[in-house]
Amino acid sequence: MTQRVFVGGTRVDALPPDNRGLSYGDGVFETMRVHRGAVHWRDAHWVRLEEGAKRLQLRLPGRACVDAHIDELLQAHPDDVLKLVVTRGAGGRGYAPRHDADPVWTLSTHPPPPPPRPGGVMVRWCDTRLAMQPLLAGIKHCNRLEQVMARGEWSQDGIDEGLMRDTGGQAVCATAANLFVRHDGRWTTPPVDQCGVAGICRGWALSALGARIATLDVAQVETADAVFLCNAVRGILPVARLGARGWLPHPALAEAIGKLADAHPAFADRLENP
Amino acid sequence: MTQRVFVGGTRVDALPPDNRGLSYGDGVFETMRVHRGAVHWRDAHWVRLEEGAKRLQLRLPGRACVDAHIDELLQAHPDDVLKLVVTRGAGGRGYAPRHDADPVWTLSTHPPPPPPRPGGVMVRWCDTRLAMQPLLAGIKHCNRLEQVMARGEWSQDGIDEGLMRDTGGQAVCATAANLFVRHDGRWTTPPVDQCGVAGICRGWALSALGARIATLDVAQVETADAVFLCNAVRGILPVARLGARGWLPHPALAEAIGKLADAHPAFADRLENP
């Protein structure tokens, strides 16, 4: 892992310890797929970051500055995963946000994701539920204890992801991916206006696959003709098994993966070894 | 502010940037009142930290090690506020908690709180609601965006604190204090099993004042005979005004403040200038 730390527009050696990210998770982040030096969905990631910053009334560094540092970093890491975390900066005691503090932000590169499990991912239901908080729903903020607890529920290699329900019992997403299910020839994904994240790949799939947004209960997931998870780093991940329920490869899933590969070359490698 | 950073049992120069506190708010904290070199409610703070760590399955540094570093730090800061943050440590990408990572923790000292406003604090209702999440309720974890947003709702000097309701509309607490209201000669404080923090001073008041735990709606707060806020740093803060409703000093409040001063000398200074 390579990591760089910045305060405002200046690169610094170390993270200031009075950082509100550390104290309160007072920040937003993006995790991006890089392929041959290019960041996939670069504009969409920035738009979501801006939406989160607006919701939290948090000041972002200038995009030109962030972009320049990203481009410099990617010269040595042209096919990694890139993570950007922006926090409100100084002010480690007292909840009152300081409006004059420079944002503290980090850029880090991480190894590309492992190839997807052949035939599809193995999924379970998590016991950890997502609280319903419209003020924080949809954005990619740094208050992620629910996801940490959900992901901590299993350690077996045989399970790749966990599906999460909200406290009302409706299916929402996986711990680190959005959820799409197919019924009657159409893809559906749950709303993210009470909890969950408006994923970048979810946004692409809504448009490219003509999917609809609607609540989904457990039975509607388990009786679907096909299910996939998706995120901006791994693209589309067909689900092969959810608890006792299994799915065979579905032609609509192959079609969706093909469309994504056409749109974003990082995901085209998948077609060689589907 | 003085701040020290530790990884496991070792003091280090800087906060590791791949810290899960920064990325996910994956940690717990305590804010303690120090008076003449002694930490008030030292055991109670540690017990709550342990409860939080157990809930999050997060490893704490050894208490003897933490205590030794606290005692050393307090030699130069015998009357400050002391903050301890313990995070899960390394692992800045991927929600899966690493069980072998050493906890990363910080100790910091901050100036003592300002004297309370004569006659009592001025309070408002916040628009920001608390989501109901029993898995995180009661403990003092580092996912505090709701409190940050609530505290960001006002900037006037004339307002000292904001009261928060849960998403169901029940009163829960202030942004950084617990809430007690008096009806029919008895103090009541809301439960913290869906949201809110089980405050250390709240625990003291429940026992010392014979208070009861019960849900409180907005009208029950506004029609109370007396209202106070409390936390471990500031002790008991009588409420003088909540929106249009004002309260005159109540003898039961003077009695409560006197009991707290008897129990904990840091709060006795208050009696000289009530």
Side-chain angles (χ1 to χ4, degrees):
Chain A
M1 192 189 70
T2 300
Q3 185 150 16
R4 295 181 180 179
V5 182
F6 306 84
V7 177
T10 307
R11 186 170 167 193
V12 296
D13 289 335
L15 202 59
D18 65 340
N19 183 276
R20 292 176 65 96
L22 182 78
S23 299
Y24 305 132
D26 192 0
V28 287
F29 70 106
E30 293 292 331
T31 310
M32 296 165 270
R33 180 69 178 267
V34 184
H35 183 70
R36 295 179 191 166
V39 179
H40 274 0
W41 286 305
R42 190 167 186 155
D43 286 343
H45 281 292
W46 188 263
V47 166
R48 183 171 62 182
L49 199 74
E50 283 187 321
E51 165 64 20
K54 187 178 164 194
R55 196 94 70 83
L56 303 180
Q57 295 185 40
L58 182 152
R59 195 148 58 90
L60 291 183
R63 178 162 180 190
C65 172
V66 175
D67 273 350
H69 285 290
I70 287 177
D71 289 338
E72 191 199 323
L73 188 60
L74 293 189
Q75 287 177 10
H77 303 273
D79 289 289
D80 277 7
V81 169
L82 174 70
K83 181 167 178 173
L84 165 64
V85 181
V86 182
T87 75
R88 204 182 300 266
R93 193 176 120 59
Y95 293 127
R98 277 178 52 185
H99 296 294
D100 60 339
D102 278 323
V104 170
W105 51 287
T106 66
L107 284 174
S108 56
T109 60
H110 306 264
R117 190 191 292 269
V121 292
M122 312 296 261
V123 176
R124 71 194 294 279
W125 288 106
C126 293
D127 293 326
T128 304
R129 302 294 181 98
L130 292 164
M132 293 159 92
Q133 174 51 280
L135 294 176
L136 296 174
I139 64 173
K140 208 162 166 82
H141 57 73
C142 295
N143 274 199
R144 292 290 158 202
L145 277 174
E146 292 175 326
Q147 285 73 22
V148 172
M149 292 177 84
R151 184 57 190 81
E153 287 184 29
W154 79 92
S155 55
Q156 312 95 292
D157 283 340
I159 300 290
D160 302 302
E161 250 289 16
L163 296 187
M164 299 188 74
R165 288 158 283 185
D166 63 29
T167 49
Q170 298 293 309
V172 180
C173 54
T175 68
N178 286 107
L179 168 70
F180 283 73
V181 307
R182 191 170 180 88
H183 280 284
D184 302 325
R186 190 159 184 203
W187 293 105
T188 300
T189 190
V192 291
D193 57 350
Q194 295 292 320
C195 50
V197 174
I200 301 295
C201 193
R202 173 184 183 270
W204 173 85
L206 278 168
S207 164
L209 308 181
R212 69 183 185 126
I213 297 173
T215 56
L216 290 172
D217 61 26
V218 168
Q220 285 170 307
V221 176
E222 294 182 344
T223 60
D225 299 323
V227 177
F228 72 82
L229 308 181
C230 66
N231 67 32
V233 168
R234 306 198 66 187
I236 290 173
L237 296 168
V239 173
R241 179 160 294 281
L242 167 59
R245 169 75 156 102
W247 286 274
L248 293 173
H250 191 285
L253 257 169
E255 188 190 332
I257 290 171
K259 277 190 183 170
L260 180 60
D262 288 344
H264 290 285
F267 305 115
D269 300 348
R270 299 266 303 278
L271 295 178
E272 295 154 19
N273 181 19
Chain B
M1 191 189 73
T2 301
Q3 185 151 17
R4 295 181 179 180
V5 181
F6 306 84
V7 177
T10 307
R11 186 169 167 195
V12 296
D13 289 333
L15 202 60
D18 65 340
N19 182 276
R20 292 176 64 96
L22 182 79
S23 300
Y24 306 132
D26 192 0
V28 287
F29 70 107
E30 294 292 331
T31 310
M32 295 165 270
R33 179 67 177 267
V34 184
H35 183 71
R36 296 179 191 167
V39 179
H40 274 0
W41 286 306
R42 191 166 187 155
D43 286 344
H45 281 292
W46 188 263
V47 166
R48 183 173 61 182
L49 199 74
E50 284 186 321
E51 165 62 20
K54 187 177 163 195
R55 198 94 70 82
L56 303 180
Q57 295 185 38
L58 182 153
R59 193 148 56 90
L60 292 183
R63 180 165 180 187
C65 171
V66 175
D67 274 350
H69 285 290
I70 286 177
D71 290 337
E72 191 198 323
L73 188 60
L74 293 189
Q75 287 177 8
H77 303 273
D79 289 289
D80 278 6
V81 169
L82 175 70
K83 182 167 178 173
L84 165 64
V85 181
V86 182
T87 74
R88 203 183 301 266
R93 195 177 117 59
Y95 292 126
R98 276 177 52 185
H99 297 293
D100 59 341
D102 278 322
V104 171
W105 50 287
T106 67
L107 284 174
S108 56
T109 60
H110 306 264
R117 189 191 291 271
V121 292
M122 312 296 263
V123 175
R124 70 194 295 278
W125 288 106
C126 293
D127 293 325
T128 304
R129 303 293 182 99
L130 292 164
M132 294 159 89
Q133 174 51 280
L135 293 176
L136 296 174
I139 63 174
K140 208 162 168 80
H141 57 72
C142 294
N143 274 200
R144 292 291 158 202
L145 278 173
E146 291 174 327
Q147 286 74 20
V148 172
M149 292 177 85
R151 183 58 191 81
E153 288 184 28
W154 79 93
S155 55
Q156 312 96 291
D157 284 339
I159 300 290
D160 302 303
E161 250 288 18
L163 296 188
M164 299 188 73
R165 289 158 282 184
D166 62 29
T167 48
Q170 299 292 310
V172 180
C173 55
T175 67
N178 286 106
L179 168 69
F180 283 75
V181 307
R182 190 170 180 88
H183 280 284
D184 303 323
R186 189 158 186 203
W187 293 106
T188 300
T189 190
V192 291
D193 57 349
Q194 295 293 320
C195 50
V197 175
I200 300 296
C201 193
R202 173 184 183 270
W204 172 86
L206 278 168
S207 164
L209 308 181
R212 70 184 186 124
I213 297 172
T215 56
L216 290 172
D217 61 27
V218 168
Q220 286 170 307
V221 177
E222 293 182 345
T223 60
D225 299 324
V227 176
F228 71 83
L229 309 181
C230 66
N231 66 32
V233 168
R234 306 198 64 186
I236 289 173
L237 296 168
V239 173
R241 181 161 290 283
L242 168 60
R245 169 74 157 104
W247 286 273
L248 293 173
H250 191 287
L253 257 168
E255 188 190 330
I257 290 171
K259 277 190 183 171
L260 180 59
D262 288 345
H264 290 287
F267 305 115
D269 300 348
R270 297 265 302 280
L271 294 178
E272 293 153 24
N273 180 21

